[in-house]
Amino acid sequence: QAGPTPPPYIGDHSLPISSMCDWPPYFENWHTPRVWLGPSGTVTRLHCDFEDNLFAQIWGRKRFLLYPHSARPNLYIEEVHPTLFISSFDPEYPDYDLYPLARSVEAVECILEPGDLLYLPAGWFHHVKALDFSLSVNRWTPDEPIIITASN
């Protein structure tokens, strides 16, 4: 007998939570916060974003597999539209016979726990998997990072 159906995944939705969050002053301009809520096992395929991203883990855990922009020639990238590039290579279940160039790249694994904040530079490829039922919030920014020094 099948178990209960997991709740649906709610991803890339904006909510009016800007005033409820204290985002670090790394950037001056932000896009609207985006909310990601869903069950364990939810996967976002390997892709890259074209703006810097601050990703906050609120509940549960998520695993990021990260690849620098320099790995792009070996990740079998496809253009979905001018602002979205995804990979047909699945780093969780690598098929090196079909994607032999992917053998030459190694992912950096990052597990986000509740309260963690990940800075993801524009152009970095990432594959994301929810390890638990999770809630995350992120913000993209078109700005260059602000340089913070001890005198600021």
Side-chain angles (χ1 to χ4, degrees):
Q1 176 174 339
T5 302
Y9 182 66
I10 300 169
D12 198 16
H13 288 277
S14 64
L15 292 176
I17 60 172
S18 295
S19 62
M20 297 169 33
C21 298
D22 185 21
W23 293 89
Y26 303 147
F27 302 93
E28 291 180 358
N29 296 308
W30 298 95
H31 293 299
T32 303
R34 309 302 285 186
V35 174
W36 311 84
L37 175 70
S40 175
T42 301
V43 170
T44 301
R45 287 177 56 185
L46 185 60
H47 72 286
C48 76
D49 299 315
F50 289 95
E51 293 182 322
D52 289 339
N53 183 354
L54 284 180
F55 191 95
Q57 190 62 30
I58 310 301
W59 296 327
R61 298 171 301 135
K62 283 193 173 171
R63 184 191 70 213
F64 279 70
L65 298 176
L66 305 167
Y67 300 87
H69 186 267
S70 61
R72 180 184 178 135
N74 300 318
L75 293 177
Y76 300 87
I77 303 306
E78 306 163 14
E79 181 178 342
V80 175
H81 58 73
T83 61
L84 179 61
F85 289 78
I86 62 170
S87 174
S88 52
F89 171 68
D90 183 347
E92 280 196 283
Y93 304 100
D95 182 344
Y96 294 119
D97 291 332
L98 190 57
Y99 305 105
L101 297 176
R103 272 189 200 280
S104 67
V105 297
E106 189 172 331
V108 173
E109 182 182 62
C110 178
I111 300 200
L112 296 185
E113 303 277 345
D116 287 345
L117 180 68
L118 174 66
Y119 169 64
L120 192 56
W124 272 66
F125 289 87
H126 48 290
H127 177 277
V128 185
K129 183 174 186 175
L131 302 177
D132 306 307
F133 182 83
S134 65
L135 170 66
S136 312
V137 178
N138 83 296
R139 292 189 87 172
W140 287 285
T141 178
D143 276 352
E144 292 293 319
I146 296 171
I147 305 299
I148 298 177
T149 66
S151 62
N152 284 6

